[in-house]
Each structure stands twice: as C-alpha cells, then as structure tokens.
Amino acid sequence: QLQLQESGPGLVKPSETLSLSCTVSGGSISKTSYYWGWIRQPPGKGLECIGTISYSGSTYYTPSLKSRVTMSVDTSKNQFSLKLSSVTAADTAVYYCALVVVTATRSSFDYWGQGTLVTVSS
Amino acid sequence: EIVLTQSPGTLSLSPGERATLSCRASQSVSGTYLAWYQQKPGQAPRLLIYGASSRATGIPGRFSGSGSGTDFTLTISRLEPEDFAVYYCQHYGSSPLFSFGPGTKVDIK
C-alpha cells in the first residue's frame, strides 16, 4: 500500500518561501505513468492542483501559480518537494501531496498524503 | 479554459436515500479523464471513481458514476452514515491541466 507523508514548516512569514517535502513509502517514485502532485485547500474552501512532477523531473505548474512554484524530485530518497515563493496570506492552506496516475485510459489522484496546514503570518 | 460546476451545493438527505450529484463542464470533455473524490472533515480526499464510471479499488458498489460530454453524475444508491461528506469532480486535460469542481456537500437531513 502506497503511503505519502508531507513535511515542512507549519508557519511561513509573508514574502518568504514555503517549502514542503513529500516522502513516498510502499512503492517506488520512479515508475512510468506515475506523476507526483501537490494540491492545496484553503480553510473551508475547495481543492486546487498546484502542479505535478514526474520521476524524471518533468513538471507541470498551474498557470495562476507558475511564476512562484518550483517542484523537484529526489529518487534516491523517494521524495519530491514543493517551493512556493513570495507567499501571502492567500497561500494559507492545507497542502496535500498525491500520486497522480496519467495514462491513455485514465487520470486521477489515486493516493493522498494526510495533508499539512501551512499558515502565512508574521 | 474548462470550468467544472457542481450541483447542488448542498444535498440534505437521510440514510438509506439515494443521492444524485451533478458535475457539469463548460465544454465537452472526455469521460476518460473525469474522476470523483470524497472528502470527510479533517481528512484527505479519497478517489471514488475514475474514467467517469470505474470504481477505484475498495470502493463499495453503492457508488456509481455515469455521463459523457458536459454532464456527469455520481450516484450513491443508498446512503450509509459514513457517506455524508463533500464530493468533488475533477478533470484532466485542459488548462489548467487538472481542475476540480467546487464540491457538493451531502449532509444529514
């Protein structure tokens, strides 16, 4: 059973960079057709996909956040990471990491981490 | 840009009743890339349905998905107490590449 676990600071100051990591266990991060995604959910609101990364480092960032987002992958640690720069209070949210399956016959977020709340405040 | 709209915003039903949730796309999309998720308070979303109508592993048979083009439906045939939650539809393949609907809350009447 694949498991994902987010880690990182729960409090970030405005204008600074939010940094989170996701450790994958129970399976290899290096699998074709697997992508690794970050999704966020502001308190009381809906879900927004921030972007995805493949084990080879191919990335997709959602257009509204593209200028501030960097994702990376470390296959030796079975881990992938998110950096979001110049944060404001609007970036306060629960951040989830997830396995994204994309094939010719399906696409879905199949496994999710438990989520970590990141608050942007001075 | 494809926008997903879900209705109703809130559905108030009793255990044992049938729930019908709607997800409408602003233009025709491929059902191959339409998924549904369930989210309970304080928990991560859970994949229910992918490819518009295929149940994910371990999902009970009372959950079913259908639809094509712009209109998709998630049906819960008989609500169990654990089914009261928020449900999101999600599509892959347009800009943004991964988009979620705003959700439908199913609460106890």
Side-chain angles (χ1 to χ4, degrees), chain B residues 10-85:
Chain B
T10 301
L11 192 55
S12 296
L13 294 168
S14 301
E17 289 193 296
R18 181 184 188 90
T20 303
L21 287 66
S22 173
C23 175
R24 179 163 289 177
S26 56
Q27 56 187 279
S28 184
V29 300
S30 170
T32 297
Y33 299 126
L34 195 288
W36 289 91
Y37 302 83
Q38 175 195 65
Q39 187 179 33
K40 297 179 182 179
Q43 296 185 17
R46 175 175 71 146
L47 176 66
L48 297 175
I49 301 285
Y50 63 90
S53 60
S54 298
R55 273 189 300 277
T57 303
I59 301 304
R62 63 182 181 273
F63 290 92
S64 64
S66 63
S68 63
T70 60
D71 294 306
F72 298 87
T73 300
L74 174 70
T75 301
I76 311 171
S77 58
R78 286 178 58 87
L79 282 164
E80 297 288 342
E82 62 267 29
D83 299 336
F84 292 92

Side-chain angles (χ1 to χ4, degrees), chain A:
Chain A
Q1 176 85 357
L2 203 69
Q3 292 186 315
L4 295 88
Q5 178 68 59
E6 305 89 353
S7 59
L11 181 64
V12 181
K13 290 183 169 55
S15 80
E16 295 190 345
T17 296
L18 178 159
S19 296
L20 295 173
S21 293
C22 181
T23 301
V24 179
S25 58
S28 173
I29 203 170
S30 303
K31 185 169 179 177
T32 309
S33 81
Y34 278 12
Y35 294 79
W36 304 95
W38 289 97
I39 304 95
R40 70 180 183 177
Q41 185 172 37
K45 296 188 178 180
L47 301 164
E48 177 184 33
C49 178
I50 299 168
T52 61
I53 188 167
S54 70
Y55 76 92
S56 63
S58 174
T59 56
Y60 166 78
Y61 302 146
T62 200
S64 61
L65 297 171
K66 188 174 183 177
S67 64
R68 300 195 289 130
V69 173
T70 304
M71 293 183 185
S72 59
V73 63
D74 186 336
T75 55
S76 66
K77 295 182 179 179
N78 235 31
Q79 213 173 59
F80 61 104
S81 299
L82 167 72
K83 290 187 185 299
L84 180 66
S85 64
S86 304
V87 297
T88 70
D91 295 308
T92 294
V94 175
Y95 286 75
Y96 297 100
C97 59
L99 162 65
V100 190
V101 174
V102 179
T103 70
T105 58
R106 64 174 290 184
S107 174
S108 52
F109 294 81
D110 282 34
Y111 290 94
W112 297 65
Q114 65 184 26
T116 187
L117 174 63
V118 179
T119 302
V120 178
S121 175
S122 55

